[in-house]
């Protein structure tokens, strides 16, 4: 099986702190991404079907030493859990990847 991880995707993931359960949930669930504003991506968990709008959060994108990473999310898990990054940030980094992160930054230009 061929790996789809590029070097930049690995570097993005290294900037995040998440546990095995979060990693599994990101793999199991269906995420959609839309660039909403400069440096802002809406991450929607489409696994909820017609209720997916209730599971949609804005995630900020920051440049950390020339690596674009998800930096903050509006969900409760990100606001109240100091130990781990939320699944929305992990999904943006791994599923959306460098293309979506770059699109959010390029919107500014």
């Amino acid at each position: 099986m061929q790996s789809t991880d590029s070097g930049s995707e690995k570097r993005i993931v290294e900037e995040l702190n998440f546990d095995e359960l979060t990693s599994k949930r990101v793999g199991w669930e269906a995420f959609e991404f839309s660039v909403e504003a400069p440096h802002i991506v809406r991450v929607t968990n489409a696994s909820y079907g017609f209720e997916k709008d209730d599971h949609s959060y804005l995630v900020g994108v920051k440049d950390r030493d020339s690596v674009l990473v998800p930096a903050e999310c509006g969900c409760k898990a990100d606001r109240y859990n100091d130990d781990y990054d939320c699944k929305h940030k992990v999904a943006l980094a791994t599923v959306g990847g460098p293309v979506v992160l770059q699109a959010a930054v390029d919107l500014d230009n």
Side-chain angles (χ1 to χ4, degrees), residues 27 34 41 67 69 87 94 100:
S34 62
V41 176
V67 177
V69 296
K87 67 181 179 180
T94 59
V100 176

Side-chain angles (χ1 to χ4, degrees), residues 8-87:
S8 61
E9 288 172 343
K10 289 178 184 174
R11 289 178 45 208
I12 295 166
V13 171
E14 290 170 1
E15 295 288 326
L16 300 175
N17 183 26
F18 56 96
D19 60 8
E20 184 178 344
L21 178 59
T22 300
S23 180
K24 286 181 180 180
R25 290 182 72 184
V26 167
W28 294 331
E29 297 172 0
F31 288 94
E32 298 174 348
F33 309 95
S34 62
V35 177
E36 297 283 313
H39 298 264
I40 302 291
V41 176
R42 180 170 298 281
V43 178
T44 302
N45 188 338
S47 298
Y48 286 92
F50 69 90
E51 295 179 338
K52 71 180 184 178
D53 291 341
D54 295 335
H55 302 273
S56 180
Y57 300 95
L58 297 177
V59 179
V61 177
K62 302 264 184 190
D63 186 330
R64 291 188 188 153
D65 298 322
S66 299
V67 177
L68 299 177
V69 296
E72 67 273 335
C73 180
C75 75
K76 289 181 184 178
D78 196 56
R79 283 187 300 210
Y80 300 116
N81 187 345
D82 293 331
D83 295 331
Y84 296 111
D85 288 301
C86 70
K87 67 181 179 180

